[in-house]
Amino acid sequence: RDLVSEWAGTPVDQTVMYGLRQYESGARLLTHVDHLKTHAVSLIVNVAQGNLTQDWPVEVFDHHGRLHEVTMEPGDIVYYESAKNLHSRNRALAGA
């Protein structure tokens, strides 16, 4: 929680945690925003990955509508304002 509050610049409370997920080949996350009540800020932690045949970036649109594609490695954390910024993984996961 301290890292998230530091990134957000304000104290935050943990409201929802989805836990670990394992994605299979062909997985996609369509573009969306989350619910403000539970997801003002979010983070993705890449715990492990293997057998990818191409990068599977997290796609986040900033407050000016610019797309940022973030390729993650194990141990990386991506913070984003998930209730305000469109985010996705529209490319199908290749490998795994």
Side-chain angles (χ1 to χ4, degrees), residues 12-33:
V12 296
D13 293 322
Q14 180 179 329
T15 56
V16 176
M17 183 175 181
Y18 289 110
L20 296 176
R21 296 180 182 185
Q22 181 175 331
Y23 294 98
E24 304 293 330
S25 185
R28 293 175 49 190
L29 178 64
L30 299 179
T31 306
H32 67 286
V33 292

Side-chain angles (χ1 to χ4, degrees), residues 3-89:
L3 290 174
V4 178
S5 294
E6 183 179 323
W7 178 83
T10 189
V12 296
D13 293 322
Q14 180 179 329
T15 56
V16 176
M17 183 175 181
Y18 289 110
L20 296 176
R21 296 180 182 185
Q22 181 175 331
Y23 294 98
E24 304 293 330
S25 185
R28 293 175 49 190
L29 178 64
L30 299 179
T31 306
H32 67 286
V33 292
D34 295 330
H35 297 283
L36 182 59
K37 211 174 215 184
T38 57
H39 288 78
V41 295
S42 294
L43 60 94
I44 299 169
V45 178
N46 185 335
V47 175
Q49 69 186 38
N51 301 320
L52 297 181
T53 57
Q54 64 184 41
D55 291 337
W56 195 46
V58 176
E59 302 159 341
V60 180
F61 285 88
D62 67 22
H63 294 286
H64 302 287
R66 296 176 298 218
L67 174 63
H68 299 268
E69 294 183 339
V70 182
T71 300
M72 299 182 71
E73 298 293 332
D76 288 348
I77 301 173
V78 173
Y79 298 91
Y80 57 103
E81 292 183 80
S82 60
K84 291 184 178 181
N85 299 104
L86 290 167
H87 56 281
S88 59
R89 282 186 160 173

